[in-house]
Amino acid sequence: MNDEENPSLGEGTTARELREGTTAREIREGTTPREMGPAGRAGSETRDPVVTAVPGREGPDSVVTAFPGREGRDSGEAVFPDTEGTDSRVTALPMERGPRGSTATSREQEVLERIERVRRRKARVREDRITLAHGAGGKATHTLIEAVFLEAFRNPLLEPLEDGAVVDGLAFTTDSYVVTPLFFPGGDIGDLAVNGTVNDLAMCGARPRYLSAAFIVEEGFPVADLRRITASMAAAARAADVWIVTGDTKVVENGKADGCYITTSGIGTVERPIRLSAAAARPGDVVIVSGPIGEHGVTVMLARGELDIQADLTSDTAPLNTLTGRLLDACGDGQVRCLRDATRGGVATVVNEIAVASKVAVVLEEDAIPVCPAVRGACELLGIDPLYVACEGRMVAVVAQRSAEAALAALRSHPLGSQAAVIGRIGDDPPGLVLLKTSFGGTRIVDLLVGDPLPRIC
């Protein structure tokens, strides 16, 4: 379909105007009421409500689900996805008309049920070859993990897909680092490798103790740079109070690697009677982020020198084990439901994983999410949502409502949590979805991205 066949998909498009056969590519992902014009604003008197487009799970040419606006006197049309094929079409069906301000219609419920049916389908990798999107932490990564790795290695300890496994009082995790450039403001691949593995152990509620470090080094790599990386790792290990106790080194031919890759694994001891899990969130809980988001991802992107953008930013890479310890000590047993560090895919990916695992809704408040001006400005210039930008020293915590004040006080008493904030709450409907209440009074769905706008940031 070209623009001449469907001229009404511009600003202010209404459900009534959305024509049958529209593809996902023709509706911009994440369209907000502000972008769609005055018809999408709360309290609008228009008879044709705005549609909000929800991106398909397999890419820009896949399924689109359009939810009708709920402010107009006519409920308009709902758009249901055709899930067959990668260039899927959508079909517009008439909505039942209801009074102004009425609750979700049966058609809306049918859309939600259809989304759930799609999610329950067995994961399948459609591509013949691996792409960068498969390593970005979004939908493509989840599909790859479930369809290839989980299918091959399935067992009760792996199936939850947490940041690490807890076995007999020990937490165990592993991670690989391929960031480019190797050195960036505020850190390098060395301290990133230590902090990332320490943080994965901390998100399990464990005290990090011992790490391994494996290096893949390209022939011709400067020894001075390798010394600089190892010195950075040693300093990060001292700061996190862990020992690097074993490792491995491999060298590959020139041109067969990008300088240096590092894999670290870690063991920690679980010293509290707690069980943290993405599946433990309950309606009424609060969602807390430990500080401003997106600083690491934007810093690395600007350090690549590919964009003519200047910003006074440094990576937020840091070990979070003492911060998580303070939080867990301040809250009673079972009051902290889940901890996740917001790395690849950012906060948006973390809360989506929680929503799906716990079968709850996560409702975020846009105005409550801390974003520093430099990150916000860079993201606006590049058309990137800060919610999807990686952090390396920030965590998301889901905490019981009655412990929210104690949790915030504990986090803010630590240098790494001084700007902690409650950014949302857990609801019960619609289960498995993340909703964002925007600064303009609207609500939109925050879905997983297929890939990542900023690849190789860790």
Side-chain angles (χ1 to χ4, degrees), residues 318-330:
L320 297 174
N321 49 324
T322 56
L323 181 65
T324 58
R326 192 167 296 187
L327 171 65
L328 294 172
D329 287 342

Side-chain angles (χ1 to χ4, degrees), residues 134-255:
H134 286 115
K139 291 178 182 176
T141 300
H142 284 69
T143 299
L144 181 70
I145 290 171
E146 293 176 14
V148 177
F149 301 118
L150 187 57
E151 185 72 16
F153 308 139
R154 187 179 302 276
N155 63 70
L157 293 174
L158 179 62
E159 282 182 330
L161 298 177
E162 301 286 355
D163 283 339
V166 177
V167 186
D168 298 330
L170 295 176
F172 177 56
T173 191
T174 189
D175 212 340
S176 295
Y177 297 86
V178 297
V179 64
T180 180
L182 298 177
F183 305 96
F184 46 83
D188 56 52
I189 192 173
D191 63 2
L192 197 64
V194 171
N195 291 338
T197 297
V198 165
N199 292 346
D200 281 348
L201 293 171
M203 298 307 110
C204 297
R207 176 188 174 191
R209 303 297 296 271
Y210 307 107
L211 304 185
S212 71
F215 295 80
I216 297 177
V217 184
E218 184 179 11
E219 180 186 20
F221 188 70
V223 173
D225 285 351
L226 188 58
R227 290 186 184 278
R228 181 179 172 188
I229 290 169
T230 55
S232 177
M233 293 180 74
R238 287 192 296 270
D241 193 23
V242 296
W243 288 4
I244 298 174
V245 297
T246 189
D248 184 47
T249 304
K250 296 289 190 297
V251 177
V252 298
E253 301 93 333
N254 185 270

Side-chain angles (χ1 to χ4, degrees), residues 69-308:
R70 290 160 66 177
E71 297 298 334
R73 290 188 290 273
D74 290 344
S75 53
E77 299 168 337
V79 181
F80 293 85
D82 169 11
T83 58
E84 300 301 326
T86 57
D87 193 13
S88 303
R89 299 276 169 171
V90 292
T91 303
L93 298 177
M95 289 292 295
E96 296 177 359
R97 298 191 177 188
R100 181 186 180 93
S102 63
T103 58
T105 67
S106 61
R107 294 296 190 187
E108 288 176 304
Q109 185 60 36
E110 187 174 342
V111 170
L112 295 174
E113 290 172 356
R114 190 157 186 176
I115 291 173
E116 181 59 27
R117 287 198 301 272
V118 171
R119 284 180 168 176
R120 286 198 302 264
R121 291 178 182 172
K122 185 176 180 179
R124 181 165 64 91
V125 178
R126 299 176 182 271
E127 298 83 1
D128 294 327
R129 297 181 183 274
I130 296 298
T131 69
L132 278 176
H134 286 115
K139 291 178 182 176
T141 300
H142 284 69
T143 299
L144 181 70
I145 290 171
E146 293 176 14
V148 177
F149 301 118
L150 187 57
E151 185 72 16
F153 308 139
R154 187 179 302 276
N155 63 70
L157 293 174
L158 179 62
E159 282 182 330
L161 298 177
E162 301 286 355
D163 283 339
V166 177
V167 186
D168 298 330
L170 295 176
F172 177 56
T173 191
T174 189
D175 212 340
S176 295
Y177 297 86
V178 297
V179 64
T180 180
L182 298 177
F183 305 96
F184 46 83
D188 56 52
I189 192 173
D191 63 2
L192 197 64
V194 171
N195 291 338
T197 297
V198 165
N199 292 346
D200 281 348
L201 293 171
M203 298 307 110
C204 297
R207 176 188 174 191
R209 303 297 296 271
Y210 307 107
L211 304 185
S212 71
F215 295 80
I216 297 177
V217 184
E218 184 179 11
E219 180 186 20
F221 188 70
V223 173
D225 285 351
L226 188 58
R227 290 186 184 278
R228 181 179 172 188
I229 290 169
T230 55
S232 177
M233 293 180 74
R238 287 192 296 270
D241 193 23
V242 296
W243 288 4
I244 298 174
V245 297
T246 189
D248 184 47
T249 304
K250 296 289 190 297
V251 177
V252 298
E253 301 93 333
N254 185 270
K256 299 295 184 180
D258 197 2
C260 178
Y261 301 147
I262 301 175
T263 295
T264 48
S265 298
I267 293 176
T269 51
V270 179
E271 301 172 353
R272 298 175 178 86
I274 58 172
R275 178 63 174 171
L276 303 174
S277 173
R282 305 173 190 172
D285 293 346
V286 300
V287 181
I288 299 174
V289 68
S290 63
I293 65 173
E295 293 177 2
H296 173 76
V298 173
T299 297
V300 170
M301 176 192 65
L302 297 182
R304 291 172 181 167
E306 299 170 353
L307 302 169
D308 189 19

